[in-house]
Amino acid sequence: MEATAAAGRAALAENVSLMYQIEQQPQVASKKGKKRKNTAAPVDSVPSSPDDLSQLVSRLISRVDSLEKENVQQLAQMKEENKQMKEENNQMKEDNKQTLRAMWRIYRRTVLDQARIRLLDLTGINFEDFDSSGLLEEAVKARLPKPFALNNTALDMIFKTGSVRQQGNTAAHEGPPETIALSILGSDLSNSDRTTLAEVYKYVYGVEPALE
């Protein structure tokens, strides 16, 4: 970078020197004897001596140095902003993954719930008549036709609180406050429901739900 800057300064000095030499040349007369108008910079804006030229070159080099420093600062700022954007993007990706995993767990529990409802309808059993899921499962099994499409392992998963159902229960009752806030501010809610849920959210988390 220093070599590039030095080369730029040298080229700048050479260009200014050449401009100075051109300005010092006498104007050329036209065929009619009239002096041709000089379209270059006014004479009073051109250095009148080598010392003035040296000062001009020094000022221009100083200006170039200043611009280089500004460029370095701007580049550093852009890199920092880009770093922050990448970090925010990675965080958004991770949040999306967590949300997707939670949805999957809830949907798995939904499959089990729908299967249980269908089995209860098939056997005519009332869920509220049983104190435990184990007794409920045994009653359902006793009324199912033989052979049946689901084996005992599948029936256990449907009626008992195993890992799949427990994960769904946890996902349905937990979540990042920021994500929960977004759901409360969703446009699919009525204004009254949104206001009421916002009050409940503030009671639970101590802050107003906000878009972040």
Side-chain angles (χ1 to χ4, degrees):
M1 183 172 181
E2 289 294 334
T4 303
R9 296 191 190 99
L12 178 62
E14 182 179 356
N15 290 336
V16 172
S17 177
L18 179 61
M19 180 188 72
Y20 175 74
Q21 294 174 14
I22 293 174
E23 288 295 337
Q24 298 305 310
Q25 293 178 357
Q27 294 177 327
V28 180
S30 64
K31 294 181 179 179
K32 295 182 179 180
K34 295 182 179 180
K35 291 184 178 180
R36 187 170 56 195
K37 184 178 181 181
N38 193 339
T39 57
V43 174
D44 59 1
S45 66
V46 178
S48 58
S49 69
D51 289 340
D52 291 339
L53 175 62
S54 177
Q55 293 177 7
L56 174 60
V57 171
S58 297
R59 290 197 301 271
L60 292 175
I61 290 176
S62 177
R63 178 56 178 162
V64 169
D65 290 339
S66 177
L67 291 174
E68 287 178 350
K69 291 179 181 179
E70 291 179 6
N71 289 338
V72 170
Q73 293 174 352
Q74 291 177 358
L75 181 60
Q77 182 179 356
M78 290 174 62
K79 288 183 177 180
E80 181 61 27
E81 292 175 351
N82 187 47
K83 178 182 176 182
Q84 293 178 358
M85 290 177 63
K86 287 183 177 179
E87 291 176 352
E88 293 175 357
N89 187 46
N90 290 336
Q91 184 60 48
M92 289 179 61
K93 288 182 178 179
E94 182 59 29
D95 291 344
N96 289 338
K97 288 181 180 179
Q98 293 180 5
T99 301
L100 185 59
R101 283 195 292 267
M103 291 174 60
W104 284 348
R105 292 172 179 176
I106 293 173
Y107 291 157
R108 291 167 190 155
R109 193 193 72 172
T110 300
V111 172
L112 299 180
D113 290 344
Q114 292 298 319
R116 183 172 59 186
I117 292 172
R118 186 170 181 178
L119 289 170
L120 293 178
D121 290 341
L122 176 64
T123 57
I125 293 177
N126 188 350
F127 178 84
E128 297 178 352
D129 293 340
F130 296 86
D131 297 330
S132 69
S133 59
L135 293 175
L136 176 62
E137 180 182 358
E138 292 303 320
V140 170
K141 285 180 179 179
R143 296 191 183 183
L144 289 176
K146 304 294 189 296
F148 190 65
L150 298 174
N151 57 30
N152 287 337
T153 301
L155 293 172
D156 287 345
M157 181 178 286
I158 293 170
F159 287 98
K160 294 180 180 178
T161 307
S163 61
V164 175
R165 181 175 290 280
Q166 184 58 48
Q167 288 176 357
N169 293 341
T170 301
H173 294 89
E174 295 180 359
E178 297 82 5
T179 304
I180 296 174
L182 292 177
S183 69
I184 290 175
L185 299 174
S187 59
D188 57 321
L189 290 171
S190 65
N191 290 334
S192 59
D193 287 344
R194 190 180 302 110
T195 300
T196 302
L197 278 173
E199 293 175 356
V200 176
Y201 179 94
K202 183 178 180 180
Y203 173 77
V204 173
Y205 296 102
V207 294
E208 297 282 353
L211 294 173
E212 294 186 356

